Amino acid sequence: MPKAKPIRLILVDDHEVVRIGLRAVLDLTPGLTVVGQASRMDEAVALCRRQAPDVVLLDIHLPDGSGVDAAHQILAACPETHVLFLTSFADEHTVQEAVRSGAQGYMLKDIASDALVRAIKTVAAGEPLLDPRLAAHRSTEYTAEEGIGHRRRPLLSPQEQRLLPLVAGGLTNKEIADRLGLSEKTVKNYLASIYTKLQISRRSQIAALYAGSFKGTAMFSDSLKVPVS
């Protein structure tokens, strides 16, 4: 059996000591290889165009711009690349903007090294990932407005709502099926229904919705309200 290709990484952070520490850990991890690093947005975009990495570890704040803007440019230039934000910022607005950029994952910098490696592999496989500390503190009820003066009704069924934290945690359809005692086909059907009801198209958007931070077609306060189409 041919040996699997390593996941190619680019590190983007304005703090040199952070980049050195990350590289020291990741270069020693089998299956991962760091192919470049940058401290600025313009450097990061140019480097990604040259290297077309599998995953970019990207900070939110950069000296010459926002990591969110960098993510937009990187993904436009390299659509096969996955962006994993690695930052110390956990406020709702920042998470919301990061997810809307098309990033695949969002993790906090105090993550353990083995958890970071798992996060990189999850994102490289195309699965969305949101730091559990951002998702676990909310229990969001998804509802739809039936009109002014009318009471709200649940938009997602109880079973569909059970899927949300599992998707937010980065589980695959098979893993979700095993966890809930369902067939994989049933899970796919539930996900398709969720996509339709919430007017979204990506698993990463489900993860962001669960954290209460997605604002694409929805309005939210204490509970998220999705307009009826």
Side-chain angles (χ1 to χ4, degrees):
M1 177 181 289
K3 189 176 181 180
K5 292 182 179 180
I7 297 170
R8 302 170 68 253
L9 299 162
I10 284 178
L11 313 178
V12 184
D13 195 292
D14 61 335
H15 293 98
E16 183 181 20
V17 68
V18 172
R19 299 196 308 274
I20 291 173
L22 286 171
R23 184 156 202 164
V25 170
L26 300 176
D27 268 345
L28 293 175
T29 303
L32 304 181
T33 181
V34 177
V35 298
Q37 52 184 305
S39 62
R40 298 167 53 86
M41 181 174 73
D42 56 356
E43 293 173 353
V45 175
L47 186 57
C48 288
R49 286 195 175 109
R50 291 197 304 272
Q51 294 286 354
D54 299 304
V55 176
V56 177
L57 285 184
L58 182 61
D59 197 3
I60 282 289
H61 285 183
L62 300 172
D64 60 336
S66 163
V68 172
D69 292 335
H72 280 294
Q73 295 185 41
I74 289 168
L75 294 173
C78 307
E80 299 302 314
T81 293
H82 300 293
V83 171
L84 172 59
F85 278 103
L86 184 64
T87 182
S88 58
F89 294 90
D91 62 283
E92 185 173 279
H93 175 74
T94 299
V95 177
Q96 170 196 319
E97 290 299 310
V99 171
R100 292 178 67 187
S101 74
Q104 195 78 13
Y106 194 103
M107 304 299 291
L108 299 180
K109 273 185 177 176
D110 59 352
I111 186 174
S113 58
D114 58 341
L116 176 59
V117 170
R118 290 195 300 270
I120 291 170
K121 292 180 177 178
T122 297
V123 167
E127 296 292 334
L129 189 65
L130 192 67
D131 194 301
R133 290 167 293 180
L134 300 175
H137 71 286
R138 285 181 183 268
S139 177
T140 306
E141 179 186 5
Y142 294 82
T143 59
E145 289 289 352
E146 295 186 305
I148 297 175
H150 292 74
R151 62 188 297 271
R152 291 180 294 164
R153 60 176 175 79
L155 179 63
L156 301 186
S157 70
Q159 189 71 292
E160 289 167 348
Q161 291 193 40
R162 289 181 66 197
L163 264 66
L164 300 179
L166 303 180
V167 174
L171 273 66
T172 65
N173 287 354
K174 185 178 185 307
E175 290 168 335
I176 293 173
D178 292 342
R179 183 75 62 87
L180 298 181
L182 304 171
S183 70
E184 193 170 350
K185 181 178 180 181
T186 298
V187 171
K188 289 180 180 178
N189 290 339
Y190 279 133
L191 287 175
S193 175
I194 291 170
Y195 289 153
T196 299
K197 288 179 177 180
L198 300 185
Q199 303 172 14
I200 58 177
S201 60
R202 300 195 308 273
R203 293 173 77 96
S204 58
Q205 291 171 311
I206 294 179
L209 275 168
Y210 179 73
S213 37
F214 180 75
K215 204 173 178 181
T217 58
M219 299 172 58
F220 63 91
S221 53
D222 292 331
S223 62
L224 188 147
K225 307 174 186 179
V226 180
V228 177
S229 56

